[in-house]
Amino acid sequence: MAAYGPVRWVPPLLYGAVLVGGLYYAAAGLSDGPGPSVWRTVGFVAAIGALFALEEAGHRRPVARVPLLLARGALIGAAVLLDASDLAQVLFVLLPFTAYFAFGRTAALALGALCLAGLLTLYVLTAPGWYRDLEHVSDLLMLSVGLVLALSMAAVAVGEQRARRELEDHAARVAELSAATERNRLARDIHDSLGHHLTAMSVQLEMASDFRALDPDAAQRALNEARRSVKLALGDVRQSVRALRGEEAHPTLSAALAGLAHGGGARPVVTVEVTGDEDGLGAAELTALYRAAQEAVTNARRHARATRVTVAVLLAEDTARLVVTDDGRGFVPDAAVTGFGLVGMRERVHLVAGSVDIDSGPEAGTRLTVTVPRGKAAREDRAGTSMDERGRR
């Protein structure tokens, strides 16, 4: 398993408590026998100090986990042997406690059982009849309780750290998906807005070049339309900047589609008809309908060489339907190579739970149908209005 960070304050707290207790026993002469010698006290203090230093070194820079565990065990053993108060035995609980973070639950349980077995072995070898001695039995029980508490604390800490890591991973995945979604949205916006206007400019400039000598007036009209397309493109850029700043203003669908119908003398001639009320359609739904119409008009102008395009929008009670037809060359939808424009159109429409249908054939023109559901709130408002009207009647 992956190593987790131990609870940093637990080992130093125990070291400090054992150090204070050991020094108090040494100063007050409370241990059995004649009392500890100076060298024993100095060795005890040095062992506790080395444990403090070991913990600090382990936190400051990575240390191999096995050598760190072995060094901690050796220093704890030395402190237990040199301690006059026998309080240092409690430090053995730190071995399975820290092993839980580094090696996992199984290793920690095995090490805890080994600590109990070691203490039992020591009693059997050095204290015959220990099981009738209250102090020995009490020490064994306290060590058992300490091990249970230490392992429980370690389990809770590891669970909390694991949950935090999973939450951070989830947040990172969400951020990555959000960034990918935003990139796709910006790609669609660039293609649908700037791409549309640049296509129109390309067609108009080609017309101006072709008619420059034959029909100067037509060439001038094409240049004027190209200038208009440049202004529209700049407007779309400003609108995109406002959207990124959260200042986007959404024009009505009728007004946006009217810009497609203004074609001057350039082909194709675009006619727009909008029937119904836009209330209940959000910005995403309206944008999907407008971008679909824009893509269809651009394709009719650039690829189909159409002379006439009809854009019809029916805003019904439950759905909004866009139908764009042209008299161009058409294509075979199943066999045609799908460009980014159609892909972006389908993505936009699918994001608002709509559908896209393309009916076309060679030399048969193209018919694009986009259906978008109207928002639930609008349907409820309409239903409430109808009930009020019936009630007044």
Side-chain angles (χ1 to χ4, degrees):
M1 63 173 278
Y4 293 90
V7 183
R8 296 188 59 176
W9 56 268
V10 173
L13 182 63
L14 285 180
Y15 297 153
V18 170
L19 178 62
V20 171
L23 291 177
Y24 176 77
Y25 263 70
L30 298 178
S31 61
D32 296 335
S37 62
V38 175
W39 68 264
R40 185 176 179 184
T41 303
V42 172
F44 168 73
V45 173
I48 297 298
L51 284 170
F52 275 111
L54 185 65
E55 294 297 330
E56 186 65 22
H59 289 305
R60 289 200 173 195
R61 50 182 164 180
V63 180
R65 291 179 288 175
V66 174
L68 181 63
L69 181 63
L70 294 176
R72 183 183 289 113
L75 289 173
I76 289 176
V80 170
L81 292 176
L82 297 171
D83 183 23
S85 65
D86 293 331
L87 293 176
Q89 293 180 6
V90 73
L91 298 180
F92 280 119
V93 302
L94 292 178
L95 297 178
F97 176 76
T98 55
Y100 202 115
F101 296 94
F103 304 103
R105 181 176 57 186
T106 302
L109 291 174
L111 197 54
L114 186 61
C115 289
L116 284 176
L119 184 60
L120 280 172
T121 302
L122 179 64
Y123 285 169
V124 170
L125 296 178
T126 62
W130 64 270
Y131 48 86
R132 291 190 297 268
D133 187 292
L134 181 60
E135 183 178 354
H136 288 86
V137 173
S138 176
D139 289 343
L140 183 63
L141 290 177
M142 291 303 295
L143 179 62
S144 301
V145 172
L147 288 172
V148 171
L149 293 178
L151 291 173
S152 299
M153 181 185 294
V156 172
V158 167
E160 187 271 336
Q161 293 182 34
R162 183 184 295 113
R164 186 187 301 120
R165 288 186 182 183
E166 291 176 355
L167 181 60
E168 291 174 352
D169 292 341
H170 179 70
R173 288 195 296 270
V174 169
E176 183 178 353
L177 291 175
S178 299
T181 301
E182 185 64 12
R183 286 194 298 268
N184 290 336
R185 187 188 71 81
L186 291 175
R188 288 193 299 267
D189 286 346
I190 292 173
H191 177 275
D192 294 343
S193 58
L194 290 180
H196 169 77
H197 295 306
L198 291 175
T199 298
M201 281 185 278
S202 176
V203 173
Q204 291 150 2
L205 291 175
E206 287 180 3
M207 181 179 293
S209 178
D210 293 340
F211 286 88
R212 181 174 52 186
L214 299 176
D215 190 347
D217 292 337
Q220 185 60 45
R221 287 195 298 271
L223 287 175
N224 293 337
E225 286 300 316
R227 294 191 187 97
R228 177 176 173 274
S229 295
V230 171
K231 293 180 181 179
L232 292 175
L234 290 174
D236 279 348
V237 170
R238 295 189 184 99
Q239 183 176 354
S240 297
V241 172
R242 286 195 296 269
L244 291 175
R245 293 180 175 178
E247 305 171 358
E248 185 177 13
H250 301 285
T252 63
L253 181 62
S254 302
L257 293 177
L260 300 177
H262 191 312
R267 294 192 309 171
V269 177
V270 181
T271 58
V272 176
E273 179 183 357
V274 179
T275 305
D277 189 1
E278 297 181 16
D279 291 342
L281 287 169
E285 289 85 356
L286 294 174
T287 300
L289 292 172
Y290 171 70
R291 294 303 188 190
Q294 187 182 54
E295 178 65 20
V297 172
T298 300
N299 289 339
R301 175 180 290 118
R302 184 174 183 180
H303 303 295
R305 300 186 183 277
T307 60
R308 183 171 297 276
V309 179
T310 301
V311 180
V313 179
L314 175 60
L315 304 175
E317 182 177 355
D318 297 326
T319 59
R321 174 168 296 182
L322 164 73
V323 179
V324 182
T325 58
D326 67 64
D327 59 355
R329 295 183 300 177
F331 63 99
V332 180
D334 294 336
V337 178
T338 302
F340 183 81
L342 292 179
V343 172
M345 179 203 304
R346 292 183 186 277
E347 288 178 350
R348 283 186 184 276
V349 175
H350 290 165
L351 285 174
V352 294
S355 61
V356 177
D357 179 67
I358 300 176
D359 182 17
S360 183
E363 306 302 329
T366 301
R367 178 186 178 91
L368 169 71
T369 304
V370 175
T371 304
V372 173
R374 185 183 286 272
K376 179 179 178 182
R379 292 197 297 271
E380 292 178 350
D381 291 343
R382 289 171 182 266
T385 302
S386 300
M387 292 178 64
D388 291 343
E389 292 177 352
R390 286 198 297 271
R392 286 194 295 269
R393 291 172 187 171

